[in-house]
Amino acid sequence: MEAVRAAGSSYPLADLIQSRRTIRAFKPDPVSKEQIIALLNTAVWAPNHGNRQPWRFILVMDEAREAFAEAVLRTHSAEERAKIGAQRHEYLTTLPAQLIVLQTEDSRHKQREEDFGAVCCLIQNFQLAAWEQGIGVVWKTNHYIYEPRFRSAFGIQPGEKVVGVLYIGYAETVPAAQPRARAETKLTVLDRLPLID
Ligand SMILES: Cc1cc2nc3c(=O)[nH]c(=O)nc-3n(C[C@H](O)[C@H](O)[C@H](O)COP(=O)(O)O)c2cc1C
C-alpha cells in the first residue's frame, strides 16, 4: 500500500536533488542524535545487491569531537599542525557531528564493487534526506580516512573501508551551485541497427 502511495505521489524530488548543496561552513547549533539516526533510517533504504546492507556507522558528537579532531590532527606533520592545527581543531570541534560511514569489504571483487556502490547510494540518500530538513552535509574523503592512526582511534576493523566522513550541521553559508553540463552532451543514444556502420 505504501509503495502504491509513493508511486502515485508527486514529491518535488527533482527540486530537492538540484537544490542540495555541499555545506562546509556550519553554524554551531546542535543536530540531535535522534535526528541523525532518523536520517540514517531513511538512508538505509538505498539499493543494495543481495540485501547485504554492507555498511556500519560511527557517530561522533559532543565531547567526542575533541577526540575526532585529535585523531585527524595526528595524521598531519608537525609542520602542518603548526600552520593549520588550531583552525582545524576549532572547525572540527564546533561543527555539530561527524558520521564515519564504513563499508564492510567483501573478499569477492564483484560483490565488493556492488557494495561500494550501495554505500555511496546510502550517503546520497542521507544527504538528500538531511537537506529536505534544512540540515547540511559535506562528504569528506580527506587523506586521514586512510591513515591507520585515524582508523585505530575509532576501532575501524581490517576489512572495513571508510567511504566517507559526513560533517553534519545547519548551514552558515550555502555555496553557489557548480554548473552541470546537460546530460545530452555525454549521452550516446543507440536506437537502430546496425549499431556500428
Ligand atoms: C566521493 C566524494 C568525495 C568528496 N570528498 C570531498 C572532500 O574530501 N572535501 C570536500 O570539501 N568535498 C568533498 N566532496 C563534495 C564535492 O566536492 C561536492 O559534491 C562538489 O563540490 C559539488 O558540490 P555540490 O555537492 O554542492 O553540488 C566529495 C564528494 C564526493 C561524491
Side-chain angles (χ1 to χ4, degrees):
M1 198 55 210
E2 187 60 21
V4 172
R5 191 189 64 75
S9 58
S10 54
Y11 298 128
L13 183 58
D15 290 349
L16 182 70
I17 291 170
Q18 290 184 39
S19 69
R20 182 205 56 81
R21 295 275 70 78
T22 286
I23 299 304
R24 299 183 180 84
F26 298 97
K27 294 180 178 158
D29 310 14
V31 179
S32 73
K33 181 174 70 179
E34 290 72 24
Q35 278 176 291
I36 294 171
I37 292 171
L39 293 172
L40 275 175
N41 275 317
T42 299
V44 295
W45 286 93
N48 69 100
H49 202 175
N51 201 20
R52 288 191 291 275
Q53 304 179 55
W55 40 67
R56 187 168 86 82
F57 316 106
I58 301 169
L59 177 59
V60 179
M61 43 197 329
D62 300 327
E63 287 99 70
R65 292 174 298 176
E66 186 67 39
F68 185 93
E70 284 305 314
V72 168
L73 290 174
R74 273 205 303 273
T75 67
H76 287 276
S77 67
E79 233 173 34
E80 285 170 334
R81 279 203 302 274
K83 209 162 131 196
I84 53 140
Q87 192 192 354
R88 285 205 90 185
H89 182 275
E90 163 81 10
Y91 178 73
L92 292 171
T93 54
T94 306
L95 72 90
Q98 291 111 2
L99 182 72
I100 304 172
V101 181
L102 302 167
Q103 173 194 350
T104 21
E105 287 190 291
D106 200 294
S107 58
R108 299 163 294 179
H109 181 245
K110 174 180 180 291
Q111 283 79 358
R112 196 163 62 249
E113 294 212 333
E114 290 168 352
D115 290 350
F116 179 71
V119 178
C120 292
C121 290
L122 176 142
I123 291 176
Q124 179 63 348
N125 278 356
F126 185 94
Q127 296 199 107
L128 290 172
W131 192 250
E132 189 181 38
Q133 294 183 19
I135 296 170
V137 178
V138 55
W139 176 347
K140 299 293 278 186
T141 47
N142 293 31
H143 75 91
Y144 68 73
I145 68 173
Y146 303 100
E147 294 284 339
R149 275 185 298 180
F150 175 81
R151 292 174 60 92
S152 65
F154 293 98
I156 299 166
Q157 299 297 306
E160 290 187 311
K161 176 184 173 68
V162 181
V163 179
V165 179
L166 308 185
Y167 296 176
I168 301 165
Y170 294 98
E172 180 70 57
T173 52
V174 178
Q178 295 174 15
R180 302 318 202 243
R182 285 197 59 82
E184 292 91 322
T185 65
K186 295 171 186 281
L187 173 69
T188 305
V189 179
L190 302 175
D191 59 0
R192 68 181 64 129
L193 292 172
L195 291 181
I196 300 167
D197 287 330

